[in-house]
Amino acid sequence: MTDITSAPNRIDAFAVARVIARVRDWAPRVHCITNTVAQNFTANVLAAIGAVPSMTVHADEVASLVESADGVLINLGTLDPERRAGIEAAVQAARANGKAWVLDPVKVDRVPLRRAFALTLIKQAPAIVRGNSGEMTALFPAIAAATGTAFAVTGARDSLSDGTRTVLVDNGHPMLARMVATGCALSGLIAACRAVESDSLLAAAAATVAWGVAAERAAIGVAGPGSFAVRVIDEIGAMDTPTLERHALISRG
């Protein structure tokens, strides 16, 4: 078990396990504006870990749901006009009510208009930004300049940082790349962890480790991506402290 920082800000297997345990104990409400492809899977993953998801995108309803939520996810996939309006309302409500929110900048490296929108959102202080290497590279100068924002670059090896500390996570499985919405679901888990943990880097690390360990366990003897999707939800639902402490692969960046 590797300490990334000295107590009380250490990030190790024990620390990430405590965050996951708090998610189960506290059942945080997480409001997600996510893409149509990911809604069902993300909701089921959140419910399995013990959080309470809501998924409304309509701008007239979003503010009330964000106000009563403990965490918020903003995902830029399938960014139609209704979702854009809902996102703007959600971020405004989150900031007005002191709610930490997570940004998942889906495909900003391929869609210039989406990248421009993401850059405006980063100026509004997300607690955490999570994306793949292409997405995060497209936004990196803005993310690096954002005060108080942690970021997670996920892939074969996950790299997470808050500008001062860097954590590498080596949990995961190639099967995650063979199905859609796995990154979106991870962002939902990050929002749930941030709802119960004020250290954004620790929250992101806890979700990333738990997701990676669940994927490793789900892939054992699995027939293919379809059954893997079901089993990874089962493994998130069964995730506990001994499993995380035994399997977490965390190191200093």
Side-chain angles (χ1 to χ4, degrees):
M1 189 162 63
T2 304
D3 283 339
I4 302 304
T5 61
S6 59
N9 294 317
R10 72 181 189 180
I11 300 178
D12 58 19
F14 177 71
V16 302
R18 285 189 302 171
V19 174
I20 299 302
R22 285 202 301 276
V23 172
R24 294 210 185 281
D25 290 342
W26 297 5
R29 291 170 293 189
V30 182
H31 187 69
C32 305
I33 298 183
T34 190
N35 65 73
T36 56
V37 175
Q39 282 179 306
N40 183 69
F41 187 64
T42 301
N44 281 320
V45 167
L46 285 171
I49 201 70
V52 181
S54 55
M55 296 281 170
T56 295
V57 301
H58 199 289
D60 291 345
E61 295 186 335
V62 159
S64 295
L65 285 164
V66 169
E67 183 178 354
S68 62
D70 302 299
V72 180
L73 168 64
I74 301 297
N75 177 303
L76 301 188
T78 56
L79 188 61
D80 53 39
E82 183 179 24
R83 273 179 176 71
R84 181 168 181 138
I87 287 169
E88 290 170 341
V91 171
Q92 182 178 2
R95 287 171 60 81
N97 291 279
K99 310 287 185 177
W101 59 283
V102 174
L103 175 63
D104 186 336
V106 177
K107 298 292 190 295
V108 294
D109 54 329
R110 296 176 60 187
V111 184
L113 287 175
R114 198 175 292 188
R115 178 178 179 272
F117 186 43
L119 291 173
T120 67
L121 292 175
I122 290 170
K123 293 178 181 178
Q124 298 182 64
I128 303 164
V129 181
R130 187 222 66 86
N132 62 37
S133 60
E135 293 160 350
M136 300 300 278
T137 297
L139 299 176
F140 185 76
I143 295 170
T147 302
T149 297
F151 60 89
V153 184
T154 55
R157 165 177 266 195
D158 306 311
S159 177
L160 300 78
S161 180
D162 61 3
T164 301
R165 301 167 293 166
T166 299
V167 175
L168 302 176
V169 176
D170 285 301
N171 294 106
H173 193 276
M175 190 71 75
L176 287 169
R178 295 185 61 193
M179 54 177 290
V180 299
T182 55
C184 301
L186 171 55
S187 294
L189 284 178
I190 290 174
C193 290
R194 183 58 179 79
V196 304
E197 172 54 56
S198 61
D199 182 336
S200 292
L201 185 61
L202 174 55
T208 303
V209 170
W211 189 235
V213 171
E216 292 167 356
R217 293 169 64 82
I220 297 172
V222 76
S227 51
F228 174 78
V230 175
R231 289 188 61 177
V232 77
I233 295 173
D234 289 343
E235 291 296 340
I236 278 291
M239 192 61 56
D240 57 19
T241 294
T243 300
L244 285 167
E245 291 186 333
R246 185 165 58 250
H247 295 289
L249 299 174
I250 311 172
S251 59
R252 186 189 299 274

